[in-house]
Amino acid sequence: MKRIKAISARAALALAALAALLTPAFAADSGVQAIAAAANSDWAKAIAAGIAIGLGAAGGAVAMGIAAGKSVDGISRQPEAEGKIRTTMMLGLVFIETAIIYALIVAILIIFVL
């Protein structure tokens, strides 16, 4: 659990640093026109899509690793319940993978619709 908190803290710090680096780009011109011009540019869409899919994939990977580890731990403690534990783990992995696919859809929408 401490490792997940450390990874989350590092990700939040990286996002804050990215926001700090992008702030001068938005402040280069005056007013709303600069923000609108930056929002319509391709590089802003690429960064937003990369962040969306990166966070979705990283979160899903951590969740899948934890789920697999806990299921192996449960099977080692109760080998007779292997079938039920494996079925429940696979169902959980499907739901986690669905969340990752939603992040991919959001990234595609950012690129092509916005």
Side-chain angles (χ1 to χ4, degrees):
M1 196 59 147
K2 290 180 182 180
R3 186 174 182 187
I4 295 173
K5 289 181 182 179
I7 291 172
S8 299
R10 288 180 186 153
L13 184 62
L15 286 175
L18 181 65
L21 290 174
L22 292 177
T23 302
F26 289 119
D29 200 5
S30 63
V32 177
Q33 293 174 348
I35 295 173
N40 289 330
S41 66
D42 290 335
W43 65 267
K45 291 179 185 180
I47 290 175
I51 290 172
I53 194 63
L55 288 177
V62 170
M64 285 182 177
I66 291 172
K70 296 290 183 175
S71 67
V72 169
D73 186 38
I75 290 171
S76 67
R77 290 177 187 221
Q78 291 183 326
E80 67 275 1
E82 177 184 3
K84 290 182 180 180
I85 294 171
R86 182 179 298 141
T87 302
T88 305
M89 180 196 66
M90 292 303 277
L91 185 62
L93 292 178
V94 166
F95 288 134
I96 294 168
E97 190 67 30
T98 303
I100 297 170
I101 291 171
Y102 285 147
L104 175 64
I105 291 171
V106 167
I108 291 171
L109 286 174
I110 289 171
I111 293 172
F112 293 113
V113 176
L114 295 179

